[in-house]
Amino acid sequence: MYSVYMLTNKNHTVLYVGVTSNLPGRIYQHQNELVKGFTARYKVHKLVYYETCDNAYDAIARENN
């Protein structure tokens, strides 16, 4: 199972959309800034939405919509 998810920052001024096969683990990485990049730079740590997909192709297609 794959998840498409949306994160925002404390002030709700930045939006990030991603795809993962391990949503709890990926959110943990974002919130603890374990991967340096966009979400760490802009403090994008708050999960605001997610949905699940049966496969990676559907999840990526949904991410791009």
Side-chain angles (χ1 to χ4, degrees):
M1 184 180 325
Y2 290 83
S3 298
V4 179
Y5 63 97
M6 298 173 101
L7 302 173
T8 191
N9 63 346
K10 179 174 70 171
N11 298 320
H12 298 194
T13 57
V14 177
L15 188 64
Y16 176 84
V17 180
V19 172
T20 185
S21 61
N22 178 3
L23 185 59
R26 189 66 174 129
I27 298 305
Y28 178 86
Q29 290 175 337
H30 285 300
Q31 291 176 340
N32 293 282
E33 298 182 4
L34 299 179
V35 178
K36 302 302 176 201
F38 182 88
T39 59
R41 183 178 314 116
Y42 293 100
K43 308 293 185 199
V44 180
H45 302 145
K46 182 179 177 183
L47 179 66
V48 293
Y49 178 80
Y50 77 93
E51 63 184 57
T52 58
C53 298
D54 291 330
N55 59 65
Y57 298 109
D58 290 344
I60 292 167
R62 183 69 175 132
E63 175 190 28
N64 292 318
N65 283 336

